[in-house]
């Protein structure tokens, strides 16, 4: 009995890593993509959010399982199974994905600070970067558990910020249900769908979760302890993805219900103003606070993932400040030169979508390897679904390129 109690407590103790990874699914890039989708196409792309969230749940579980079963993060496992030139090329694309990730998160934080306090975008970006550095210091000095609590608290702030409007004005149930039917309406809807996928099934979260699970619990031996930890991980991922999915859906429903056909809602600032006009200043304040929490939490999580990717692939680590500046500076440059911030957010999510196959293909391949995973190898149907996710996203990207070049 004492052994069973100890293992059960270990299972409950596992709850948390998925909530850190889930921050990646409610970052400012999601806000821009989902608000744009709802404002332009109403409820047309509801199905994309549902599909992306289901995909994300499976992917995040496979990532955590890889870390628990092998004791290796996904970047480390990729390093172990590739030659040096391939490994370096792989790291370059992962670094570009990290830069695109930080762009969305820093720009989103800067926009939120301008909405709340009227700060210039560049100053807001600097403040967002500085706060994210402080959060990383907390993780470095106080440990992963404290970092998880801080990030989970910010996730709750994000959820309240975006779900509150649904209690003020509920969307029409019939139109929401109609949005579950998969379809597109022109090139722009494909672009936004790709951005929504890139913002939901985020590559850096896939890399990160394997390391988070491993760092918390190491490499438990096969047996009752591992089975309970994997079961707890399924609950952890399920609850975290449910929260993230609800927030993403709320973003789109806010726009579809209140902003469709309203001029000047193609930016976060315009959407914020329109939400305030339609639902009142309190809801608009919640919207801005949720956006700020999203930017602050997600940029620190993204930087954490970037450090894990570099360490895992190259066996190299840099001081925390240097690592933070690598991805922060491009975001500050975008703010300084005056690029439209909301459009930059959407495009950054498209870039992330192109990085998804590079994370998914090795993840599915490694977790389907019986020599590596033993009894915890993916079931055949799980592998089929995993390969299907990678194929769907890759094909969508190919279609996007074709339509963009030929329109």
């Amino acid at each position: 009995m004492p052994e069973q109690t100890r293992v059960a407590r270990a299972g409950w103790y596992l709850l948390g890593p998925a909530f850190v990874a889930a921050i990646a699914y409610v970052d400012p890039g999601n806000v821009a993509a989902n608000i744009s989708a709802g404002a332009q196409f109403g409820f047309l792309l509801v199905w994309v959010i549902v599909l992306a969230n289901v995909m994300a749940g499976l992917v995040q579980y496979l990532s955590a399982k890889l870390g628990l079963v092998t004791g290796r993060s996904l970047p480390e496992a990729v390093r172990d199974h590739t030659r040096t030139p391939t490994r370096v090329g792989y790291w370059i694309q992962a670094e570009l994905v990290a830069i695109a990730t930080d762009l969305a998160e820093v720009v989103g934080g800067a926009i939120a600070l301008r909405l709340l306090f009227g700060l210039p975008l560049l100053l807001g970006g600097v403040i967002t970067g500085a706060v994210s550095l402080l959060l990383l210091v907390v993780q470095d000095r106080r440990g992963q558990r404290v970092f998880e609590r801080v990030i989970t608290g910010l996730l709750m702030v994000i959820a309240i910020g975006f779900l509150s409007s649904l209690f003020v004005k509920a969307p029409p149930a019939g139109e929401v249900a109609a949005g579950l039917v998969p379809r597109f309406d022109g090139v722009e809807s494909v672009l936004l769908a790709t951005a929504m996928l890139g913002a939901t099934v985020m590559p850096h979260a896939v890399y990160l979760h394997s390391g988070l699970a491993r760092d918390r619990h190491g490499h438990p031996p096969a047996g009752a302890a591992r089975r309970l930890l994997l079961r707890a991980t399924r609950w952890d991922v399920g609850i975290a993805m449910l929260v993230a999915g609800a927030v993403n859906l709320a973003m789109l429903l806010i726009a579809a219900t209140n902003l469709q056909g309203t001029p000047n809602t193609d930016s976060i600032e315009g959407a914020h103003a329109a939400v305030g006009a339609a639902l009142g200043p309190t809801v608009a304040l919640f919207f801005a606070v949720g956006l700020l929490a999203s930017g602050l939490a997600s940029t620190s999580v993204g930087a954490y993932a970037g450090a894990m990717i570099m360490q895992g692939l190259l066996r190299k680590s840099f001081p925390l400040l240097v690592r933070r500046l690598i991805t922060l500076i491009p975001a500050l440059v975008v703010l300084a030169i005056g690029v439209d911030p909301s459009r930059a957010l959407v495009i950054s999510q498209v870039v992330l979508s192109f990085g998804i196959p590079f994370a998914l293909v090795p993840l599915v391949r490694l977790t389907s390897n019986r020599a590596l995973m033993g009894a915890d190898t993916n079931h055949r149907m799980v592998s089929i679904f995993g390969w299907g996710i990678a194929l769907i996203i890759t094909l969508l990207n190919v279609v996007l390129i074709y339509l963009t070049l030929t329109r």
Side-chain angles (χ1 to χ4, degrees):
M1 181 64 68
E3 174 65 15
Q4 292 178 345
T5 301
R6 185 188 68 79
V7 173
R9 286 178 178 174
W12 281 110
Y13 185 67
L14 180 64
L15 297 180
F19 285 83
V20 176
I23 283 292
Y25 298 97
V26 291
D27 78 342
N30 291 78
V31 180
N34 295 332
I35 292 292
S36 295
Q40 293 184 49
F41 298 102
F43 301 93
L44 178 74
L45 299 178
V46 167
W47 66 274
V48 176
I49 288 180
V50 175
L51 178 63
N53 211 61
V54 172
M55 290 178 176
L58 174 60
V59 168
Q60 292 305 138
Y61 173 67
L62 293 182
S63 177
K65 183 174 77 167
L66 177 70
L68 286 172
V69 173
T70 68
R72 312 291 281 172
S73 68
L74 179 56
E76 289 171 340
V78 169
R79 180 192 67 204
D80 292 343
H81 291 80
T82 55
R83 297 179 181 273
T84 300
T86 302
R87 193 182 310 143
V88 172
Y90 193 92
W91 169 73
I92 291 173
Q93 68 80 28
E95 199 65 41
L96 292 174
V97 166
I99 290 172
T101 300
D102 221 20
L103 171 64
E105 293 154 354
V106 173
V107 169
I111 292 174
L113 287 170
R114 182 162 74 176
L115 293 175
L116 288 168
F117 306 110
L119 298 181
L121 284 176
L122 182 58
L123 178 58
V126 171
I127 292 174
T128 301
V131 173
S132 70
L133 182 61
L134 291 176
L135 292 176
L136 290 172
V137 170
V138 169
Q139 185 276 328
D140 187 55
R141 296 186 178 180
R142 300 294 299 276
Q144 183 177 323
R145 185 62 176 168
V146 174
F147 181 71
E148 286 176 4
R149 289 173 178 170
V150 173
I151 296 300
T152 301
L154 288 171
L155 177 61
M156 295 303 103
V157 173
I158 296 166
I160 293 170
F162 289 105
L163 290 171
S164 59
S165 68
L166 299 183
F167 295 95
V168 177
K169 183 177 181 181
E175 294 188 45
V176 175
L180 294 172
V181 179
R183 62 195 190 280
F184 294 109
D185 184 17
V187 176
E188 186 67 16
S189 67
V190 178
L191 174 66
L192 285 172
T194 306
M196 291 160 71
L197 279 174
T200 304
V201 188
M202 296 191 76
H204 76 281
V206 179
Y207 298 121
L208 178 65
H209 202 169
S210 56
L212 289 172
R214 184 274 316 275
D215 291 345
R216 179 84 83 81
H217 293 283
H219 181 196
R226 183 188 291 177
R227 287 195 298 272
L228 280 177
L229 288 174
L230 290 173
R231 188 181 308 149
T233 297
R234 288 192 287 272
W235 278 100
D236 191 31
V237 171
I239 297 170
M241 290 299 103
L242 182 63
V243 173
V247 174
N248 276 314
L249 185 59
M251 294 173 189
L252 187 143
L253 297 182
I254 290 170
T257 304
N258 303 289
L259 309 183
Q260 189 178 11
T262 303
N264 302 319
T265 56
D266 55 348
S267 67
I268 291 180
E269 296 97 322
H272 173 263
V275 166
L279 301 177
T282 301
V283 174
L285 176 62
F286 278 126
F287 181 101
V289 170
L291 178 63
L292 178 60
S294 171
L296 296 177
S298 57
T299 190
S300 60
V301 170
Y304 186 10
M308 185 176 292
I309 292 168
M310 178 178 287
Q311 176 66 33
L313 288 172
L314 303 182
R315 285 198 178 102
K316 293 183 182 295
S317 60
F318 290 94
L320 190 61
L321 179 59
V322 174
R323 174 64 246 180
R324 188 69 196 89
L325 290 176
I326 288 174
T327 54
L328 177 61
I329 289 176
L332 296 180
V333 169
V334 168
L335 292 175
I337 64 178
V339 175
D340 176 54
S342 294
R343 189 63 178 174
L345 283 174
V346 174
I347 297 301
S348 73
Q349 302 311 294
V350 176
V351 174
L352 292 179
S353 187
F354 283 98
I356 294 171
F358 291 96
L360 294 189
V361 169
L363 176 65
V364 178
R365 183 177 178 181
L366 290 167
T367 53
S368 300
N369 184 338
R370 185 165 295 276
L372 183 66
M373 301 293 291
D376 295 302
T377 304
N378 291 342
H379 186 277
R380 182 181 297 274
M381 288 305 299
V382 173
S383 294
I384 290 173
F385 282 127
W387 288 120
I389 291 170
L391 180 62
I392 288 171
I393 294 174
T394 301
L395 288 177
L396 188 58
N397 288 334
V398 171
V399 171
L400 171 66
I401 294 173
Y402 173 77
L403 292 176
T404 301
L405 293 177
T406 57
R407 65 174 174 174

